[in-house]
Amino acid sequence: MYDAVLGCAEAYSVVIIPPTEIDGRGLHVCNLAGMRRALAMLAPRPHYVLTDGFKVDGLGVPGLAVWKGDQVAACVAAASVVAKVTRDRIMQDLHNDWPKYGFDMHKGYVTPEHSAALERHGPCDEHRFSYVNVAAVARSKRRRGTVGVAPGVAAHVPAQLRDNVAMEGGPR
């Protein structure tokens, strides 16, 4: 489906947000920022945007949040395919760099195997330290002196594009 989507898409863009930015700003804020960034990179620019499940302000074009959009709108389903395949490929690359975590199998989802690898090895740089399961392991490993994370302190990650200012309370 991925190749079929790319083969017939008039335009598409993919935005990858690093774990440190997600830790610093939060997943939902980063999801919104990612959609804004992806839209800003499209040429031609769409006249109307459908989003999957929640409204995204600051897109610069009219839009509609569609509940279960990937099940009812072909364009949202196509975007979901591109996002999921891209993530799977990233996880495969991470597995090549960090094979002891099994990223190629669990794709970053919390599975018993992923939890066991976290417990055994502690988190790596690619883990999202703001996630409860990763933070808990990082704290327990820190007590044993193997991995350190400053509890309660989020990394400051600046916005990477000017069009993200609106989501942080600035001018639109």
Side-chain angles (χ1 to χ4, degrees), residues 38-97:
L39 184 65
M41 294 181 345
L42 287 177
R45 190 160 171 86
H47 298 287
Y48 197 85
V49 175
L50 300 180
T51 58
D52 193 4
F54 50 87
K55 186 176 185 219
V56 181
D57 290 325
L59 294 178
V61 295
L64 175 69
V66 180
W67 181 251
K68 303 224 181 238
D70 61 342
Q71 296 175 22
V72 298
C75 59
V76 177
S80 181
V81 167
V82 172
K84 285 176 174 53
V85 171
T86 300
R87 177 162 173 82
D88 287 352
R89 291 176 177 176
I90 290 169
M91 297 310 287
Q92 181 62 51
D93 289 344
L94 289 178
H95 176 75
N96 294 338
D97 295 338

Side-chain angles (χ1 to χ4, degrees), residues 23 121-125 129 134-153:
D23 286 341
H121 306 293
C124 71
D125 293 341
F129 285 79
V134 177
V137 171
R139 278 191 303 275
S140 71
K141 294 289 184 186
R142 186 179 53 123
R143 278 189 230 115
R144 288 184 249 155
T146 58
V147 175
V149 174
V153 177

Side-chain angles (χ1 to χ4, degrees), residues 58 162-172:
R162 293 182 70 76
D163 65 344
N164 289 335
V165 184
M167 86 183 155
E168 296 173 355
R172 290 184 190 256

